[in-house]
Amino acid sequence: MFEAILIAGFGGQGVLSTGQLLAQAGMEEGRHVAWIPSYGPEMRGGTANCGVTISSRPISSPVVSEPTVLIAMNRPSLEKFEHSVVQGGIIFVNSSLIDIRAGRKDVRVFYVPANELAEELGSGKVANNVILGALIELTGVVTPGAVEKSLREVLPPHHHKMIPLNLKALEVGAGLVRGDGPAAAGAG
Amino acid sequence: MAKILMKGNEAIGEGAVRAGCRYFFGYPITPQSELPHYLAKRLPEVGGLYLQAESEVASINMVFGAAGAGARVMTSSSGPGISLMQEGISYLAGAELPCVIVNMIRGGPGLGNIAPAQSDYFQATRGGGHGDYRVLVLAPASVQEIIDLMKDAFDLADKYRNPVMLIGDGVLGQMMEPVELDEEVKPVVLPEKSWAATGRMGRDKKNLINSLYIVPENCEAHNLELARKYGTMAEKEQRWEDYHTEGAELVLVAFGTAARVCKAVVDMFREEGRPVGLLRPITLWPFPAKRVAALAGTARHFLTVEMSMGQMVEDVRLAVNGRRPVYFYGRAGGMIPVARDVYREAGKILTGGADS
């Protein structure tokens, strides 16, 4: 079992903490995990990304240069990293903010209107978790139970009241790819 | 024991606190700034002092002062800042003061960049500053090992009254990995430092922290004494990890992040039943020459893999002493070797198609 997940977006979208949540959940399940942020010189409001590796074996380099899964939260991220995804990999496109289609034909692409779905749930802040829910459902890289437990670890206590909303977002995302949710994800 | 996710730079800080370090003097630089950031909050919680100095030159001299007073003290920086500290490090070694210096290496030379590199190997292992001295150099390869080695770093510094350098790179500093940590911080019993300048306290003789030996005969005697100490360190403190080296025809030699990549390469070969192993130096000075020399008796080739244009490879060649060919593969300027590429290089050696 090996997944190298690249989560990319702009600063403030919560891509680093989403990655941390995923890494924490992997650790809860006894996997080898590594998380690494991009730390190049960036301007305020610029791009941010992190790589999360979850594996049944020790992790060599934590740098995710050939992701098995790409979560593109904004258009520059899709344009920058689309080519790096391994053949047969998965790309999640946040279609709320990305108005182009992915060009790759040798990967699975899922278009998820994450911000809209999150707003419908009550807060745009859980947009990442809509996609995370879809990712977990598709890959089984971690269990929903481990994510729920990890939310308590990763979120500061004063944000624990947000946990039910986060769980709802995960469930909506999972429903999308199962095809029983309110709006099935457009696969292309 | 709690298992938590921790960033490498923060692990250095927590490791230092748990080793009894209570003083940090430093100046920010990427890719290690999370470490001073962490200690700025953490040290006051345990009654320690964090101070951001006006420069790296000031930082290392503050370390000199605190070490002279017998405190467990550290500083940290990255390449350019460590270069600025070299005069102070030479003085610390000359005055035989224990301290820990962390270098999270970035791409160089000059301003270079902030990406991970191992190109300060020469600077770390050859002294770096002026004069005939050595610092003991530790090279962890995981966040857990960072925590474990920080304790050893302070203990070794005190044991030998010598600066100890812990080196990593941007990857080790920035990455998060699970670490096992005791739930509570246990009090550390520090060794007594009868030489420290803490006031005369009724002694006949005053303690003096000094690296000035104006009479050549005295300075030579001091150098001989230091050399004896370094000889003991070289004899007793070599550390390494063997990874499938037994029966290996080709031995990869790599430390830190490059060693992580090489482990994956060894796994690729072992899955094919091909005899490739990895020797991972944990001390860079003293270099584990004993182990390399022993392996030169059984292995047919060596391949050193570094994130530089080839620095540790010289120590490998010295230890192999011409008995076997020693090949080199490196990436530089902030690039990290890719397992597939190392595998290809190693494959060429195994099939006899590489030049040493």
Side-chain angles (χ1 to χ4, degrees), chain A residues 19-21 23-25 27 30-41 57-63 65-66 153-154, chain B residues 3-5 7 30-31 114-116 169-171 174-179 257 260-261 264 267 271 336-340:
Chain A
Q20 206 182 325
L21 176 64
Q24 179 82 28
M27 183 178 79
R31 305 287 189 190
H32 293 276
V33 300
W35 172 99
I36 190 162
S38 59
Y39 68 96
R57 296 169 60 164
I59 293 159
S60 55
S61 168
V63 177
S65 49
E66 296 172 348
E153 296 293 326
V154 173
Chain B
K3 200 171 191 186
I4 58 167
L5 267 186
K7 216 172 191 191
T30 308
I114 58 176
D169 59 58
V171 165
Q174 297 292 327
M175 75 187 292
M176 272 190 182
E177 275 188 324
V179 293
T257 297
R260 296 174 68 106
V261 175
D267 290 345
E271 272 162 29
I336 300 167
V338 176
R340 203 173 39 240

Side-chain angles (χ1 to χ4, degrees), chain B residues 19-31:
Chain B
C21 173
R22 292 294 179 269
Y23 299 90
F24 177 95
F25 305 100
Y27 189 83
I29 183 171
T30 308

